[in-house]
């Protein structure tokens, strides 16, 4: 045994050494050096030089060597830290056999996460009122609660298309826009209530989903992604240029606000506050809107969970796994894809009409590609097909953005001109890189089977396909 | 001669006539005609590249043949009388009181499976690897369950009719799992199964679509002798218990010779032999195609094969 170990020790294979958590110091230093050199090359023109206008209105070049040096050093040290501290651990984790029985804590969290989450979300307005008080609660319920829930709902809607059916849709925001404009235009011209227009907006959006889906869904993979991206842009451009109907860039204002089953939320004598004998406050409307979007989001989740256990949901997942096998089993793949597209579009339409009534004003600015990208990254980060994962990703991404607006103390450190929201995308980029290193298939990547004979086992992400469109 | 044709026509399930498939300049199948008998195992054999899988893809609607007719019957033999009329009418199928007749070359792939009830497996196994074994078998029963769930509407609302249909679908799946010996692994992902089990599962999945004709593309490929013997038993059970016709592409001659009722031999897209196993085994052209001939006999052999 010793002889064997010795002979092996003379010529250790590199991956064996790493597997035991040892680090090749020279290789790590070399790596860090190369990374720093690349960073220097990249950041020399970007950070090292800055052109600015001096007092005589002439363009001058200033150099920022200390800043450049700091950034390059940070990158180099970061890379060194990664290869010395993080990489051996990641490697060890990959070598470790996968535990067949999850730990007790994991089972407990898995069992109680969803009920606890729903209870927390339902009690959230009350918790906010109790902790920050009446006057400051609007911001917390509106900017955090409602905003996050809209994206949770959009994420769950897109999850049907991308996560279950495996169709990469980069133009999802188009259906959100159709829902919002449907509500805005119909409410202003026909004077119908929110509850009548909500299903109509959803139906119109899913109608557009089918209309766009029909020519598009014969494409697969990258081609499908590009064409859906184009369709998203086309709808936005139509909204901008069809000024007679949509008022173009100026947008539509004065969209009817929701009422509490006929009682408006205003300061009048017949307003909500007066009727219920409460002092007037905008909080009531915000709380009402919060529960409306919560109900809509839960409806989305409920319908998706139900659909997964129905033949149509299983056909979506089968389509993601192997389209040709689906056809050999007599499944009409075009119709199946269209239902996924239409269903996803419908929920986007619901969310869009809610968005319109909440804002009271909509314009094409709200429906840019960035929105599609945000929703898609929520789905991808959360783990395609996982409802809980998508909800967590939406909370982190949208909540994170909102929190960054509040980091006033950073101004004390970096000066008054520092605006943390400007660094939002940078931080998202970092978050994405970290997630892709740590969990390449999203936060929750295992798949739960839709039907069980004896024992429920979750399916490892290695076996689940991502879909080819 | 005519009389004999008439009598065998009544037992014919699928009639392949003058099937030709061209890919650009390549003639993959050249004027191929053969019959698949009801409740029989028909083997389609031939050297690599002979066009066997292309024939399968034509029958199952994955390819549209360049020319030829592929007629399949449901019900009794009298529906063959409708063949000429159906061909002229331009329709895909005709239904009479005694059954139905389908022209497969006119149908898209999913309708061949759904309406004409021709099921198939693939040379490179095509299961749904990320779904459980049970889910794989339920996806195969999609169309019946879809109907029971009121095209999803009743199912979402939780109507009991769907729950009932799902239970019977699970029962059927469990029945097949017992039969192929995978009942203990029903809740495991299909991608985790060993190779032989995946092959059996793919056959069970095809059988769950309630086919009248089962097309198997090299079901014994990669199986060890014991698994091969199990496969033979399974295919014979499908033929004898379920009275389902099997069309089989296979290279494993122990499987072919042991269980086939009828063998069609293909070489370079041309049929070179057609008959019972013993006749095919001793056919000179078949021997030449598989084993080759001595150099001085090449010209003679080519003339005989028709090249």
């Amino acid at each position: 045994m010793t002889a064997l170990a010795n002979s092996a020790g003379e010529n250790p294979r590199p991956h064996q050494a790493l597997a035991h958590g040892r680090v090749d110091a020279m290789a790590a230093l070399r790596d860090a050096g190369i990374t720093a050199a690349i960073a220097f090359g990249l950041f020399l023109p970007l950070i090292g030089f800055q052109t600015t206008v001096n007092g005589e209105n002439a363009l001058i070049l200033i150099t920022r060597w200390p800043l450049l040096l700091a950034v390059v050093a940070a990158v180099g040290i970061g890379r060194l830290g990664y290869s010395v501290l993080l990489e051996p651990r990641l490697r060890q984790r990959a070598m470790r056999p996968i535990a067949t029985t999850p730990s007790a804590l994991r089972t407990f969290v898995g069992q109680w996460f969803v009920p606890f989450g729903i209870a927390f979300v339902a009690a959230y307005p009350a918790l906010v009122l109790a902790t920050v008080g009446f006057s400051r609660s609007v911001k917390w319920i509106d900017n955090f609660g409602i905003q996050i829930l809209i994206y949770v709902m959009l994420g769950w809607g897109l999850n049907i298309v991308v996560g279950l059916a495996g169709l990469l849709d980069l133009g999802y925001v188009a259906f959100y826009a159709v829902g919002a404009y449907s509500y805005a235009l119909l409410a202003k011209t026909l004077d119908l209530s929110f509850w009548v227009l909500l299903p109509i907006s959803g139906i119109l959006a899913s109608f557009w989903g089918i209309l766009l889906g029909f020519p598009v869904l014969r494409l697969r993979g990258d081609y499908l992604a590009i064409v859906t991206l184009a369709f998203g842009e086309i709808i936005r451009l139509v909204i901008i240029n069809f000024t007679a109907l949509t008022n173009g860039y100026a947008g539509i204002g004065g969209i009817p606000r929701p009422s509490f089953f006929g009682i408006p939320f205003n300061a009048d004598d017949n307003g909500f506050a007066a009727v219920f004998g409460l002092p007037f406050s905008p909080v009531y409307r915000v709380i009402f809107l919060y529960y409306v979007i919560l109900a809509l989001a839960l409806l989305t989740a409920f319908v998706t969970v139900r659909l997964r256990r129905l033949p149509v949901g299983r056909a979506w997942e089968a389509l993601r796994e192997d389209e040709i096998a689906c056809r050999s089993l007599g499944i009409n793949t075009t119709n199946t894809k269209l239902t996924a597209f239409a269903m996803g579009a419908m929920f986007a339409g619901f969310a869009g009409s809610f968005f319109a009534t909440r804002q009271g004003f909509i314009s094409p600015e709200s429906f840019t590609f960035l929105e599609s990208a945000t929703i898609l990254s929520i789905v991808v980060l959360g783990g395609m097909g996982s409802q809980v994962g998508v909800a967590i990703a939406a909370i982190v991404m949208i909540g994170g953005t909102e929190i960054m607006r509040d980091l006033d103390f950073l101004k004390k450190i970096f000066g008054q001109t520092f605006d943390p929201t400007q660094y939002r995308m940078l931080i998202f980029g970092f978050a994405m890189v970290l997630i892709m290193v740590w969990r390449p298939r999203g936060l929750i990547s295992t798949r739960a089977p839709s039907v069980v004979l004896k024992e429920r086992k979750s399916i490892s992400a290695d076996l689940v396909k991502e879909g080819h469109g | 001669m005519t009389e004999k044709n008439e009598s065998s026509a009544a037992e014919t399930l699928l009639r392949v006539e003058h099937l030709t498939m061209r890919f650009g300049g390549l003639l993959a199948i050249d004027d191929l005609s053969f019959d698949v008998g009801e409740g029989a195992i028909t083997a389609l054999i031939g050297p690599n590249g002979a066009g066997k899988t292309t024939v399968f893809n034509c029958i199952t609607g994955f390819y549209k043949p360049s020319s030829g007719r592929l007629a399949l019957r449901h019900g009794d033999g009298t529906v063959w009388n409708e063949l000429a009329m159906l061909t002229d009418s331009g329709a895909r199928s005709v239904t009479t009181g005694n059954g139905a007749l389908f022209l497969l070359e006119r149908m898209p792939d999913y309708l061949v499976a759904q309406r004409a009830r021709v099921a198939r497996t693939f040379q490179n196994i095509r299961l749904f690897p990320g779904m459980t074994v049970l889910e794989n078998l339920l996806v195969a029963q999609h169309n019946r369950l879809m109907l029971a769930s009121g095209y999803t509407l009743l199912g979402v609302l939780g109507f009991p009719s769907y729950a009932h249909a799902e239970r019977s679908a699970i029962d059927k799946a469990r029945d097949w799992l017992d039969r192929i010996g995978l009942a203990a692994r029903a809740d495991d992902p299909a991608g985790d199964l060993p190779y032989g089990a995946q092959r059996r599962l793919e056959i069970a999945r095809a059988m769950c679509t309630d086919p009248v004709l089962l097309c198997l593309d090299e079901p014994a490929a990669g199986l060890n002798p014991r698994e091969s013997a199990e496969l033979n038993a399974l295919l014979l059970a499908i033929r004898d218990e379920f009275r389902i016709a099997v069309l089989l592409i296979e290279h494993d001659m122990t499987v072919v010779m042991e269980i086939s009722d009828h063998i069609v031999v293909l070489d370079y897209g041309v049929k070179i032999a057609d008959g019972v196993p013993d006749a095919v085994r001793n056919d000179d052209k078949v021997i030449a195609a598989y084993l080759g001939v001595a150099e001085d006999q090449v010209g003679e052999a080519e003339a005989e094969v028709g090249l």
Side-chain angles (χ1 to χ4, degrees):
Chain A
M1 186 63 217
T2 3
L4 265 176
N6 279 341
S7 69
E10 278 169 20
N11 191 11
R13 286 198 298 233
H15 73 264
Q16 258 181 341
L18 287 166
H20 293 291
R22 269 186 277 145
V23 183
D24 187 348
M26 276 317 289
L29 275 176
R30 196 182 56 224
D31 248 17
I34 292 171
T35 315
I38 293 171
F40 178 77
L42 261 178
F43 291 129
L44 177 66
L46 289 174
I47 295 177
F49 303 111
Q50 188 185 21
T51 51
T52 186
V53 178
N54 69 1
E56 287 119 51
N57 216 13
L59 199 63
I60 56 161
L61 183 73
I62 53 172
T63 52
R64 301 190 288 186
W65 302 125
L67 185 61
L68 175 67
L69 198 69
V71 170
V72 170
V75 170
I77 291 167
R79 172 73 219 193
L80 192 66
Y82 174 78
S83 31
V84 172
L85 300 173
L86 202 56
E87 209 176 13
R89 246 184 245 190
L90 285 174
R91 215 178 285 265
Q92 245 175 349
R93 213 176 55 145
M95 302 287 285
R96 207 169 46 206
I98 298 153
T100 40
T101 46
S103 65
L105 179 72
R106 231 164 224 250
T107 331
F108 180 79
V109 170
Q111 262 174 353
W112 291 98
F113 189 83
V114 171
F116 179 78
I118 291 174
F120 174 78
V121 174
Y124 177 74
L127 292 175
V128 169
L129 285 177
T131 46
V132 302
F134 222 67
S135 52
R136 289 182 59 208
S137 62
V138 171
K139 189 191 93 182
W140 283 93
I141 298 174
D142 193 46
N143 292 6
F144 283 86
I146 295 178
Q147 186 76 2
I148 290 173
L149 282 174
I150 288 178
Y151 280 91
V152 168
M153 182 171 175
L154 287 169
W156 280 343
L158 184 61
N159 191 24
I160 295 175
V161 184
V162 179
L164 295 183
L167 305 166
L168 188 53
D169 182 358
L170 292 180
Y172 190 62
V173 80
F175 308 122
Y176 186 42
V178 168
Y181 273 86
S182 304
Y183 174 74
L185 293 170
L186 291 175
K188 286 196 81 169
T189 51
L190 302 180
D191 201 28
L192 293 170
S193 88
F194 175 72
W195 297 107
V196 175
L197 288 175
L198 182 75
I200 294 179
S201 310
I203 290 167
L204 281 173
S206 67
F207 170 75
W208 276 97
I210 292 172
L211 210 67
L212 299 189
F214 220 56
V216 163
L217 287 178
R218 61 191 65 230
L219 302 174
R220 292 160 65 90
D222 309 351
Y223 303 95
L224 177 73
I226 292 294
V227 176
T228 52
L229 173 77
F231 268 124
E233 284 302 289
I234 287 169
I235 290 214
R236 195 173 64 86
L237 291 173
V238 167
I239 290 171
I240 289 171
N241 291 300
F242 197 174
T243 38
L245 182 70
T246 64
N247 205 20
Y249 272 121
I252 300 174
I255 300 166
R257 309 307 298 264
S259 60
F260 186 76
F261 304 104
I263 307 169
F265 289 96
N266 57 21
D268 292 350
D269 285 344
N270 58 355
F272 179 83
V275 168
F276 288 89
L278 300 162
F280 173 75
S281 161
V283 174
Y284 302 127
R285 182 172 67 204
V286 172
I287 292 177
F288 176 68
L289 282 174
Y290 177 86
Y291 281 109
V292 169
I293 186 66
L294 178 61
L296 286 173
L298 288 179
L299 177 80
T300 314
F302 172 76
V303 170
T304 314
V305 167
R306 259 282 160 79
L307 287 176
R308 268 202 70 207
R309 295 187 188 145
L310 286 173
V312 70
R314 259 181 234 129
W316 288 339
E317 293 200 78
L319 200 66
R320 177 194 65 204
E321 297 285 316
D322 195 324
E323 186 177 342
I324 289 176
C326 277
R327 299 214 302 257
S328 83
L329 297 172
I331 295 173
N332 184 339
T333 49
T334 313
N335 283 0
T336 308
K337 285 180 183 179
L338 276 180
T339 52
F341 228 61
M343 201 62 79
M346 184 181 79
F347 289 121
F350 287 163
S353 65
F354 175 83
F355 176 75
T357 191
R358 173 217 183 194
Q359 300 289 100
F361 167 79
I362 51 169
S363 75
E365 301 278 286
S366 309
F367 308 106
T368 54
F369 171 66
L370 192 64
E371 292 295 307
S372 286
T374 308
I375 303 165
L376 187 66
S377 45
I378 286 173
V379 174
V380 172
L381 287 181
M384 294 200 285
S386 158
Q387 308 254 327
V388 175
V390 168
I392 295 172
I395 291 169
V396 171
M397 289 214 30
I398 307 303
T401 314
E402 294 299 322
I403 281 176
M404 261 182 272
R405 289 190 213 283
D406 283 355
L407 299 178
D408 286 334
F409 69 90
L410 287 176
K411 288 193 176 167
K412 296 204 180 86
I413 305 170
F414 294 103
Q416 277 305 307
T417 51
F418 182 77
D419 180 6
T421 49
Q422 297 280 313
Y423 293 85
R424 201 171 92 225
M425 285 299 144
L426 191 69
I427 290 169
F428 280 165
F430 272 126
M432 292 246 182
V433 171
L434 283 183
I435 284 279
M436 289 304 126
V437 170
W438 175 52
R439 296 226 132 163
R441 292 289 294 266
L443 287 173
I444 297 183
S445 52
T446 54
R447 177 180 173 271
S450 66
V451 61
V452 172
L453 198 59
K454 292 188 196 83
E455 183 195 352
R456 180 168 292 279
K457 300 174 187 167
S458 64
I459 297 167
S460 147
D462 306 334
L463 294 168
V464 180
K465 295 262 168 60
E466 284 158 75
H468 310 279
Chain B
M1 188 64 200
T2 335
E3 206 172 83
K4 188 184 167 254
N5 263 350
E6 295 266 296
S7 68
S8 72
E11 290 154 24
T12 302
L13 183 74
L14 170 75
R15 194 183 277 178
V16 177
E17 291 167 292
H18 305 293
L19 177 66
T20 301
M21 184 75 206
R22 255 184 219 99
F23 296 106
L26 177 78
L27 191 59
I29 306 170
D30 186 9
D31 197 26
L32 172 71
S33 302
F34 67 93
D35 287 347
V36 174
E38 187 175 20
I41 296 179
T42 306
L44 190 59
I45 64 170
N48 286 330
K52 305 179 295 290
T53 300
T54 308
V55 173
F56 259 42
N57 283 337
C58 289
I59 292 172
T60 51
F62 281 82
Y63 291 163
K64 207 167 171 50
S66 309
S67 65
R69 181 165 71 180
L70 303 159
L72 179 94
R73 101 180 135 85
H74 290 179
D76 71 26
T78 55
V79 292
W80 283 122
N81 302 334
E82 310 288 327
L83 184 57
M85 212 186 70
L86 173 62
T87 310
D88 293 337
S89 73
R92 286 169 176 169
S93 65
V94 61
T95 311
T96 68
N98 297 326
L101 200 60
F102 297 87
L103 289 182
L104 304 182
E105 78 277 10
R106 293 179 183 173
M107 301 169 79
D109 43 22
Y110 72 93
L111 282 184
V112 171
Q114 194 185 87
R115 297 269 154 72
R117 309 217 324 257
V118 176
R120 73 170 292 177
T121 64
F122 296 87
Q123 201 169 347
N124 46 343
I125 304 172
R126 282 186 177 273
L127 288 169
F128 306 120
M131 300 175 87
T132 65
V133 170
L134 181 65
E135 283 179 307
N136 267 273
L137 296 184
L138 288 190
V139 171
Q141 303 177 56
H142 175 80
N143 289 310
R144 194 158 7 98
L145 288 173
M146 201 67 182
L147 205 65
S149 72
Y151 292 93
T152 305
L153 213 65
L154 302 181
V156 168
L157 300 175
F159 270 66
S161 70
Y162 173 67
H164 183 76
E166 192 181 37
R167 251 194 315 278
S168 66
I170 291 175
D171 284 342
K172 187 189 185 115
R174 198 204 316 245
D175 201 44
W176 273 103
L177 289 178
D178 286 334
R179 200 175 278 276
I180 60 172
L182 285 179
R185 305 208 59 178
D187 297 317
D188 287 335
D192 258 355
L193 296 180
Y195 192 82
Q198 292 197 11
R199 284 247 175 246
R200 292 203 301 281
L201 179 60
E202 205 190 12
I203 295 172
R205 188 181 68 177
M207 284 301 294
C208 277
T209 64
D210 283 332
V212 298
L213 173 65
L214 180 63
C215 299
L216 304 174
D217 199 344
E218 297 197 24
L223 301 190
N224 63 34
R226 192 176 54 83
E227 288 172 324
S228 237
E230 282 170 8
L231 177 77
N232 283 359
L234 178 65
L235 296 185
L236 289 173
I238 287 171
R239 181 189 69 181
D240 299 333
E241 271 179 57
F242 296 86
R243 302 285 304 148
I244 288 168
V246 177
L247 180 61
L248 181 75
I249 292 178
E250 191 48 73
H251 284 300
D252 186 338
M253 284 304 143
T254 56
V255 174
V256 171
M257 292 299 165
E258 211 167 295
I259 65 171
S260 306
D261 300 305
H262 173 197
I263 298 177
V264 177
V265 190
L266 221 56
D267 193 20
Y268 294 108
V270 182
K271 184 167 87 173
I272 57 172
D274 185 347
V276 295
D278 270 335
V280 167
R281 202 197 316 248
N282 300 319
D283 190 291
D284 287 341
K285 284 187 199 172
V286 177
I287 294 167
Y290 267 92
L291 301 177
V293 290
E295 207 163 332
D296 54 330
Q297 291 173 301
V298 166
E300 196 186 320
E302 279 184 345
E304 201 176 331
V305 175
L307 289 175

